[in-house]
Amino acid sequence: MTSIGGAEMVDWNLAVATATRLVRPGPEVSRDEARAVVAELRRHAKSSEEHVRSFTRMGTEDTHDTPVLVVDRAGWVRANVAGFREILKPLLDKMQDRRTGPGGTVLGAVGGKVTGVELGMLLSFLASRVLGQYETFAPATRDLPAGANGGGRLLLVAPNIVHVERELDVDPHDFRLWVCLHEETHRTQFTAVPWLRDHLEAEIQSFLGETEVDPMTVLERVREAAQSLSGGRTEADGAEGAEAEESRSLVELVQTPAQREILARLTAVMSLLEGHADFVMDGVGPDVVPSVGEIREKFQQRRARGASRLDQALRKLLGLDAKLRQYRDGERFVRAVVDEVGMDGFNRVWTSPNTLPTKAEIAKPADWVARVHRKGD
């Protein structure tokens, strides 16, 4: 853990300890039932490979380089802390360098332990909500293996899957396979498209590189964001500006203009990846998941219904509502393109970064078709 003068920017161990202490316990299951759930998820993850490859026509032999891990909530926390530590290292190094300059005492006052606790609290909130995750930037650890040569790993969070299948009152075997189809699609996307990981990492590092590290600038942006969220804007902002601010999260409000441009590109890519996974899981579903119609209907109702007011406020604040829009908008884009040019025509999206849809094209699939499938092709 890099430090200056013994002061860590983020106490990663404290983040893990805080999250695992605060995260809610999972559903009650017997030891035998837990073992059966883990075994079944592993079987479904394996069988999903061929289903997804056949449906998407994205053949790859490299999925074996990316392990499938069935984890509990604490395991998901440890995996994500390792990923955060890897991807955020350039930004934290930059902030540490800044500590030795003017205003460094402001950053120093925050302290690695405070930051670790805050990160742990955020992860404890998320740890009970994630069903599965393809971890793209996953360094291998003693307890959590990852693919060689920068390959990722596929996480399936068993207690969360059991919790949701019980809440929805759906067939547990069908639901587990349905979830695996979604996550296996993500694994296929990254193993079949070799440039995708490096492209995403470059965009993320560009985003982080634009982050303001001057303490006074950061505080000013936070102050402006707080005023916007609380309605403390001036009359000159106008009604249109007020509506635009209300639709943005705190994360978006503290960004620089350059970061917003990068985020627009990242949003388009994530909408594509999430929408494609939803499209595939429902496309494969009728052949291998008998109750897919019931599962999708109840799952959509659960998404729309949300949870408590506090939960909804936190989702809004952290920008998690935008994640839900990515599923909807991306799936609509994929479906429209496949209807227009077929699966092989859609797969031209994976040709290069230049063929990825823009944020505007996600909303208008015909524009992407017109750009990528030009007349005479």
Side-chain angles (χ1 to χ4, degrees):
M1 190 177 299
T2 305
S3 62
I4 292 180
E8 302 159 351
M9 290 298 298
V10 179
D11 189 329
W12 299 106
N13 293 332
L14 183 57
V16 172
T18 300
T20 53
R21 185 173 66 252
L22 294 179
V23 70
R24 291 181 296 178
E28 292 186 10
V29 295
S30 67
R31 180 170 297 183
D32 288 343
E33 184 180 3
R35 288 173 177 166
V37 170
V38 170
E40 183 172 24
L41 286 172
R42 287 176 176 155
R43 290 196 303 272
H44 284 332
K46 179 63 178 176
S47 66
S48 294
E49 290 183 31
E50 185 56 38
H51 294 313
V52 171
R53 289 187 198 181
S54 176
F55 185 82
T56 63
R57 302 177 192 174
M58 297 173 68
T60 174
E61 297 299 325
D62 296 330
T63 54
H64 300 293
D65 186 45
T66 55
V68 176
L69 307 179
V70 182
V71 298
D72 58 12
R73 290 170 177 175
W76 180 87
V77 167
R78 290 194 298 271
N80 276 265
V81 165
F84 282 145
R85 189 172 179 176
E86 182 80 6
I87 200 69
L88 292 176
K89 187 178 186 303
L91 173 62
L92 295 181
D93 288 346
K94 180 180 176 181
M95 295 178 71
Q96 286 166 340
D97 291 341
R98 184 70 186 186
R99 270 188 173 183
T100 61
T105 55
V106 178
L107 283 176
V110 175
K113 292 192 179 300
V114 173
T115 310
V117 169
E118 290 172 343
L119 177 59
M121 293 173 66
L122 170 63
L123 290 171
S124 71
F125 172 77
L126 297 173
S128 60
R129 288 159 174 78
V130 178
L131 300 182
Q133 172 186 1
Y134 182 78
E135 215 186 355
T136 315
F137 311 104
T141 66
R142 183 179 60 183
D143 301 324
L144 296 164
N149 303 317
R153 58 184 167 225
L154 182 60
L155 306 177
L156 297 170
V157 191
N160 295 349
I161 293 173
V162 172
H163 170 77
V164 174
E165 70 191 25
R166 290 179 178 179
E167 181 183 323
L168 298 181
D169 190 25
V170 294
D171 183 282
H173 309 293
D174 284 2
F175 184 75
R176 294 166 194 173
L177 177 55
W178 189 68
V179 171
C180 287
L181 289 170
H182 182 102
E183 303 308 331
E184 177 58 35
T185 302
H186 286 318
R187 186 162 70 142
T188 298
Q189 290 163 347
F190 283 93
T191 54
V193 186
W195 54 264
L196 184 57
R197 180 190 183 278
D198 291 340
H199 173 71
L200 270 180
E201 183 174 18
E203 290 281 53
I204 292 171
Q205 292 304 333
S206 294
F207 181 88
L208 295 176
E210 291 290 336
T211 300
E212 296 280 2
V213 293
D214 176 71
M216 300 312 297
T217 302
V218 173
L219 290 174
E220 178 64 18
R221 289 190 180 277
V222 171
R223 185 188 66 80
E224 293 174 355
Q227 286 182 341
S228 297
L229 289 172
S230 65
R233 53 180 71 84
T234 65
E235 293 182 5
D237 292 333
E240 183 177 348
E243 291 178 3
E245 295 290 5
E246 287 175 0
S247 66
R248 286 156 55 188
S249 68
L250 176 62
V251 176
E252 294 172 295
L253 289 169
V254 297
Q255 290 163 3
T256 66
Q259 284 178 314
R260 291 189 187 117
E261 291 183 11
I262 299 170
L263 185 64
R265 296 195 297 269
L266 281 170
T267 298
V269 176
M270 298 311 297
S271 295
L272 169 68
L273 299 180
E274 297 293 0
H276 183 232
D278 262 14
F279 177 79
V280 171
M281 73 195 296
D282 286 345
V284 173
D287 292 331
V288 298
V289 183
S291 60
V292 64
E294 177 191 1
I295 291 173
R296 168 55 73 185
E297 181 180 359
K298 289 185 175 181
F299 197 75
Q300 291 288 61
Q301 290 174 354
R302 182 178 185 271
R303 277 181 180 173
R305 184 170 62 249
S308 67
R309 286 188 176 183
L310 175 60
D311 188 76
Q312 291 173 353
L314 286 170
R315 281 171 27 184
K316 169 65 177 174
L317 185 68
L318 298 172
L320 299 181
D321 283 348
K323 175 80 168 176
L324 300 181
R325 289 194 297 273
Q326 288 173 4
Y327 289 105
R328 181 194 63 212
D329 298 343
E331 195 274 341
R332 189 163 49 221
F333 169 84
V334 175
R335 186 173 301 280
V337 172
V338 172
D339 286 346
E340 180 70 20
V341 296
M343 185 64 75
D344 291 334
F346 165 79
N347 280 340
R348 291 183 65 173
V349 77
W350 312 117
T351 303
S352 75
N354 293 330
T355 56
L356 291 172
T358 65
K359 190 174 180 180
E361 288 171 340
I362 288 289
K364 295 183 178 180
D367 290 353
W368 180 88
V369 173
R371 178 171 66 86
V372 176
H373 291 267
R374 302 184 188 280
K375 291 182 179 180
D377 262 4

